[in-house]
């Protein structure tokens, strides 16, 4: 049962439930980019994020990745385990695009093999700056071993998700993960995995099937999110 609103972010509401260690994530019909500087209501978006993320988390659960996901409740809500979020955005990159091209001058579409893992400090006031492992342990109350564990899990998730998306003609270019500590202190995958947090390119055309269409104003967000959901629906 849904109880008080604990937090409202840019894309979701987080509610307490009647069980102390369970939360409801309710996805909003809101698209934001550039740390909230670009913002728009898009009716139907929350449903896509919720359904896509639930499918991806269910797949990762089946592959024994520890995560917060419990179950889908309805089109826009899911039940998750309550965690203390570790304030890191863990970005995995298979191909160069976006901020790494701007910041470091890599040529667009450079392949990273092995995949790159980057840590950003999740702090809106500081605009989520990129940090190194030592900064991460100092800023997020984690040990060196825990940072290694998080980076290892991120790479393992990448190795599972590349073929998962590839089978439906989607190239996993890069994505962002968040991890939290559950009630027993265990580090688990949290938050969402969706076209808001991943770059997906069509394998044939390299066209974007993710939030870049909104960031760059190059396409219709609902149609590309629908396309991702349809393709994932084809997987047995
Ligand atoms: P933001 O805060 O970045 O604007 P959202 O609108 O997506 O993001 O808000 C969802 C918030 O819920 C995020 O701060 C995210 O870290 C947090 N969150 C996600 N999963 C969990 C969880 N299992 N336990 C606690 N907090 C969570
Ligand atoms: N990303 C995210 N939330 C953020 C920043 C990045 O989900 O606050 C995702 C983004 O969708 C992309 C990957 O992380 O899949 C890498 O993003 P990048 O650093 O290139 O930043 P951007 O170019 O999106 O600003």
């Amino acid at each position: 049962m849904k109880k008080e609103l604990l937090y409202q972010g840019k894309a979701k509401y987080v509610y307490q439930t009647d069980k102390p260690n369970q939360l409801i994530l309710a996805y909003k019909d809101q698209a934001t980019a550039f740390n909230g500087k670009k913002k728009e209501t898009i009716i139907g978006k929350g449903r896509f994020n919720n359904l896509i993320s639930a499918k991806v988390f269910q797949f990762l659960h089946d592959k024994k990745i520890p995560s917060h996901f419990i179950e889908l409740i309805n089109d826009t809500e899911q039940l998750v385990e309550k965690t203390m979020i570790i304030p890191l955005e863990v970005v995995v990159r298979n191909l160069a695009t976006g901020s790494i091209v701007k910041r470091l001058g890599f040529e667009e579409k450079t392949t990273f093999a092995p995949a790159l893992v980057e840590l950003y400090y999740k702090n809106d006031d500081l605009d989520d700056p990129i940090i190194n492992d030592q900064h991460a342990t100092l800023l997020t109350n984690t040990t060196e071993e825990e940072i290694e564990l998080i980076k290892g899990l991120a790479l393992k998730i990448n190795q599972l998700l590349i073929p998962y998306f590839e089978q439906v003609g989607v190239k996993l270019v890069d994505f962002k993960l968040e991890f939290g500590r559950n009630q027993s202190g265990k580090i688990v995958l949290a938050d969402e995995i969706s076209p808001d947090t991943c770059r997906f390119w069509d394998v044939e055309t390299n066209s974007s099937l993710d939030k870049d269409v909104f960031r760059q104003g190059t396409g219709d967000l609902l149609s590309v999110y629908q396309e991702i959901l349809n393709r994932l629906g084809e997987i047995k």
Side-chain angles (χ1 to χ4, degrees):
M1 209 215 325
K2 209 193 253 174
K3 295 186 79 176
E4 77 269 20
L5 177 67
L6 294 182
Y7 175 77
Q8 173 177 176
K10 295 184 284 292
K12 303 189 270 303
Y13 298 102
V14 181
Y15 292 95
Q16 184 57 55
T17 66
D18 44 9
K19 297 207 177 111
N21 63 344
Q22 294 189 356
L23 300 174
I24 290 175
L25 298 184
Y27 284 76
K28 297 183 182 182
D29 280 337
Q30 182 162 275
T32 62
F34 314 116
N35 202 4
K37 288 176 203 77
K38 180 171 179 178
K39 197 159 135 181
E40 208 175 294
T41 298
I42 303 180
I43 305 294
K45 172 180 180 291
R47 173 176 167 269
F48 287 126
N49 286 60
N50 185 46
L51 298 182
I52 294 167
S53 193
K55 268 192 191 298
V56 176
F57 271 80
Q58 186 60 57
F59 165 73
L60 291 174
H61 170 82
D62 295 345
K63 297 290 179 189
K64 310 281 181 261
I65 298 292
S67 89
H68 71 165
F69 184 70
I70 301 172
E71 65 185 13
L72 204 56
I73 299 172
N74 57 39
D75 270 2
T76 56
E77 297 178 321
Q78 52 182 267
L79 189 66
V80 300
E81 189 179 17
K82 185 175 193 165
T83 72
M84 285 282 291
I85 291 289
I86 297 165
L88 289 175
E89 301 208 332
V90 182
V91 169
V92 180
R93 300 181 187 271
N94 295 308
L95 288 174
T97 193
S99 71
I100 199 167
V101 169
K102 286 200 203 83
R103 192 164 21 84
L104 298 178
F106 281 101
E107 197 175 326
E108 187 74 25
K109 300 194 182 73
T110 304
T111 299
F112 297 121
L116 270 185
V117 185
E118 297 175 338
L119 302 176
Y120 294 80
Y121 183 34
K122 189 172 154 63
N123 182 317
D124 282 343
D125 292 338
L126 298 175
D127 261 341
D128 300 344
I130 191 165
I131 57 174
N132 70 20
D133 295 21
Q134 285 174 299
H135 296 139
T137 59
L138 291 167
L139 289 167
T140 69
N141 199 22
T142 45
T143 63
E144 276 174 44
E145 292 72 26
E146 286 173 331
I147 294 299
E148 281 310 312
L149 174 108
I150 286 171
K151 295 198 315 183
L153 275 171
L155 285 172
K156 189 165 172 203
I157 291 165
N158 186 45
Q159 284 315 308
L160 292 166
L161 291 184
I162 290 173
Y164 176 70
F165 284 103
E166 205 164 55
Q167 67 185 312
V168 290
V170 173
K171 222 185 274 180
L172 180 62
V173 174
D174 58 28
F175 57 98
K176 181 267 301 179
L177 302 174
E178 291 184 26
F179 294 86
R181 227 181 263 281
N182 71 11
Q183 301 316 71
S184 7
K186 185 177 176 182
I187 291 178
V188 300
L189 179 65
D191 203 51
E192 71 175 283
I193 299 181
S194 74
D196 269 17
T197 63
C198 304
R199 284 197 173 94
F200 296 130
W201 291 354
D202 180 86
V203 283
E204 302 283 318
T205 64
N206 273 346
S207 65
S208 289
L209 299 170
D210 59 58
K211 198 163 85 172
D212 270 354
V213 300
F214 170 78
R215 290 192 187 97
Q216 296 161 6
T218 49
D220 178 52
L221 180 142
L222 290 179
S223 4
V224 301
Y225 283 37
Q226 174 81 67
E227 179 66 23
I228 291 292
L229 184 61
N230 289 350
R231 292 199 195 183
L232 294 184
E234 292 164 15
I235 301 170
K236 294 287 176 306

